[in-house]
Amino acid sequence: MAIALITLAAGQGTRMMSDLPKVLHQIGRAPLLAHALASARSLEPARVIVVAGHGADQVGRAAAKIAPEAEIVLQEEQLGTGHAVAQALPALDGFEGRVIVLYGDTPFISPETLEQMAASDAAVTVLGFEAADPGRYGRLVTQGAMLERIVEFKDATDEERAITLCNSGVIACDAALLGTLVSGLSNDNASGEYYLTDIVAAARAQGLSAQVVTCDEAETLGINTRAELARAEAQFQARARAEALENGVTMVDPQTVYFALDTYLGSDVVIGPNVVFGPDVTVESGAQIEAFCHLEGCHISRGASVGPFARLRPGAELAEDVHIGNFVEVKNSVLAEGVKVGHLTYLGDADIGAQTNIGAGTITCNYDGVMKHRTTIGANAFIGSDTMLVAPVSVGSGALTGSGSVITEDVPADAIALGRAKQVNRPGLAAKLFAKLRAEKARMKKGS
């Protein structure tokens, strides 16, 4: 059966105390919306609808990056979840299949749980969970195996509030039936809103089946406050660390390693303490990341080593057996097999040939104040310490630059390039200068 997704992402999230739409706050360096859509897209849905409201332009741009196939519909007034789904239904006109309604601020529902929702043959299927502390969650009122209705906490009786089976808000329903049920919703309740949850009672009133699929409470965590966002980050990191360990990654101190949603690590990767992975990082099998490294938008090949105290920025491509040492920064650069960059170096907008050695203190001067320019260095070259490579410039294969050189012109293959000012020695001048400075210091001290 074809699947369509409706993801509700219109809320402002006033308790977040932020101008940013709630679904764009991040865990694992990705918006909450990205987490919600990542699991759902594993179902290979035929249609993806995102309902935006507060900050709709921002939400729409983010959704387009996360799921380019997504269609954005606008909920101009936030009149409840039923009203939000009603805004999405015209976009599904003619769609034949099952619709799953998700929430952009509920990031942890697993693909396996959603597969159970999709596979249910009930007219309406609701995702529920047994709550340790039911609090103000909506309650699922059941009769045997059947779900009779969902009651919101503020509308519930004392008997209903004693129920511990709670509503996550996620619902699956046939598209045509969903349209019929939503069109009949009323806002005659304590909040004056159109509750999507009321479709359960409406379906049962028509003699249709309604069932509950249950999941662990941790999957249904919704984000409404900064404190909940912090707890969600901790939950995400704990899960990501556990998965990495299970997949053959060694972490010296797992609690100090932080992952992004899309971090990919091969087996036998070794990660030291206090390493941070930003978005879009791939580390191939057998690579080693030493302590206190920060990685983002980079690719590290088999057998490479990075750090300690290194930073790889977007566009850094490290081939096999590349060595990046301490206090090295690499941005938008391709380093071929066996390149060594030991320490205290900046490589930006550069192409480095195989087996080349980059000496300490080397800088590719890539920015002229207006434009970025590239530096190209051939294979088996030797760049002396404290070389300034003023781009655009190229150094040929097998060439060498003298330490302390400023290279402003291309260097031919196998040549030595020296770009230093001539050294001048003035005998005895240092002693005279220091004597004068000491006398001035003594005079100032006496005067005070």
Side-chain angles (χ1 to χ4, degrees), residues 42-172:
S42 68
L43 300 178
E44 300 182 353
R47 303 286 297 280
V48 178
I49 311 294
V50 175
V51 181
H54 176 73
D57 289 344
Q58 291 173 278
V59 172
R61 287 193 295 271
K65 292 180 181 178
I66 298 163
E69 74 276 20
E71 303 169 58
I72 311 300
V73 300
L74 183 63
Q75 184 187 22
E76 294 184 359
E77 291 184 273
Q78 278 72 67
L79 301 178
T81 52
H83 179 261
V85 170
Q87 311 314 299
L89 290 175
L92 292 177
D93 186 36
F95 174 78
E96 296 182 0
R98 197 159 180 81
V99 178
I100 300 178
V101 180
L102 302 169
Y103 295 82
D105 62 355
T106 305
F108 293 141
I109 297 174
S110 70
E112 294 75 16
T113 295
L114 293 176
E115 285 172 6
Q116 292 183 57
M117 297 285 293
S120 172
D121 58 3
V124 179
T125 303
V126 173
L127 181 61
F129 61 97
E130 287 288 345
D133 178 11
R136 301 186 66 83
Y137 288 116
R139 304 304 204 265
L140 301 182
V141 181
T142 58
Q143 184 69 40
M146 284 293 175
L147 175 63
E148 293 296 325
R149 67 185 186 279
I150 305 174
V151 58
E152 297 297 327
F153 176 84
K154 65 187 69 175
D155 300 313
T157 65
D158 289 342
E159 183 180 2
E160 290 167 339
R161 289 180 179 182
I163 296 171
T164 58
L165 183 60
C166 295
N167 175 39
S168 72
V170 176
I171 286 180

Side-chain angles (χ1 to χ4, degrees), residues 395-410:
V395 177
S397 297
L400 180 151
T401 67
S403 296
S405 292
V406 178
I407 304 299
T408 59
E409 298 178 1
D410 291 348

Side-chain angles (χ1 to χ4, degrees), residues 59-410:
V59 172
R61 287 193 295 271
K65 292 180 181 178
I66 298 163
E69 74 276 20
E71 303 169 58
I72 311 300
V73 300
L74 183 63
Q75 184 187 22
E76 294 184 359
E77 291 184 273
Q78 278 72 67
L79 301 178
T81 52
H83 179 261
V85 170
Q87 311 314 299
L89 290 175
L92 292 177
D93 186 36
F95 174 78
E96 296 182 0
R98 197 159 180 81
V99 178
I100 300 178
V101 180
L102 302 169
Y103 295 82
D105 62 355
T106 305
F108 293 141
I109 297 174
S110 70
E112 294 75 16
T113 295
L114 293 176
E115 285 172 6
Q116 292 183 57
M117 297 285 293
S120 172
D121 58 3
V124 179
T125 303
V126 173
L127 181 61
F129 61 97
E130 287 288 345
D133 178 11
R136 301 186 66 83
Y137 288 116
R139 304 304 204 265
L140 301 182
V141 181
T142 58
Q143 184 69 40
M146 284 293 175
L147 175 63
E148 293 296 325
R149 67 185 186 279
I150 305 174
V151 58
E152 297 297 327
F153 176 84
K154 65 187 69 175
D155 300 313
T157 65
D158 289 342
E159 183 180 2
E160 290 167 339
R161 289 180 179 182
I163 296 171
T164 58
L165 183 60
C166 295
N167 175 39
S168 72
V170 176
I171 286 180
C173 184
D174 175 78
L177 176 60
L178 181 63
T180 300
L181 296 175
V182 166
S183 66
L185 291 176
S186 166
N187 65 346
D188 183 17
N189 51 58
S191 295
E193 294 184 347
Y194 297 90
Y195 295 149
L196 180 63
T197 50
D198 286 347
I199 69 171
V200 172
R204 296 295 291 127
Q206 297 179 33
L208 300 172
S209 61
Q211 294 181 347
V212 180
V213 166
T214 59
C215 67
D216 188 86
E217 183 176 2
E219 289 189 38
T220 67
L221 177 65
I223 311 301
N224 296 296
T225 67
R226 301 280 183 164
E228 290 173 348
L229 185 68
R231 287 195 290 271
E233 181 71 43
Q235 182 174 319
F236 168 80
Q237 295 298 340
R239 185 178 65 186
R241 292 165 188 147
E243 289 177 355
L245 292 169
E246 290 173 2
N247 291 331
V249 173
T250 294
M251 288 184 279
V252 176
D253 187 0
Q255 297 304 313
T256 67
V257 177
Y258 290 86
F259 293 105
L261 174 62
D262 60 355
T263 303
Y264 175 81
L265 304 174
S267 61
D268 293 317
V269 169
V270 178
I271 304 172
N274 297 291
V275 172
V276 177
F277 292 89
D280 191 25
V281 176
T282 296
V283 184
E284 293 186 11
S285 299
Q288 184 155 339
I289 313 298
E290 300 286 359
F292 293 97
C293 289
H294 188 283
L295 316 175
E296 181 175 356
C298 60
H299 178 269
I300 301 168
S301 296
R302 182 183 299 270
S305 63
V306 178
F309 294 98
R311 184 183 183 197
L312 301 185
R313 292 170 57 194
E317 291 278 345
L318 276 54
E320 293 186 5
D321 300 318
V322 167
H323 170 64
I324 298 295
N326 51 291
F327 302 104
V328 172
E329 180 178 349
V330 182
K331 186 271 295 183
N332 193 29
S333 297
V334 179
L335 281 60
E337 183 176 354
V339 168
K340 291 180 172 58
V341 191
H343 33 249
L344 302 162
T345 291
Y346 171 69
L347 299 177
D349 301 289
D351 298 287
I352 315 296
Q355 308 302 325
T356 283
N357 184 86
I358 307 293
T362 296
I363 296 175
T364 57
C365 307
N366 56 328
Y367 184 50
D368 63 10
V370 178
M371 301 288 291
K372 297 287 183 71
H373 303 281
R374 291 195 76 79
T375 297
T376 301
I377 302 172
N380 297 295
F382 186 94
I383 305 301
S385 296
D386 282 325
T387 295
M388 303 290 110
L389 296 154
V390 184
V393 70
S394 65
V395 177
S397 297
L400 180 151
T401 67
S403 296
S405 292
V406 178
I407 304 299
T408 59
E409 298 178 1
D410 291 348

Side-chain angles (χ1 to χ4, degrees), residues 7-9 22-24 31-37 102-107:
T7 302
L8 306 187
K22 181 168 63 170
V23 298
L24 299 188
L32 298 175
L33 181 62
H35 290 261
L37 289 175
L102 302 169
Y103 295 82
D105 62 355
T106 305

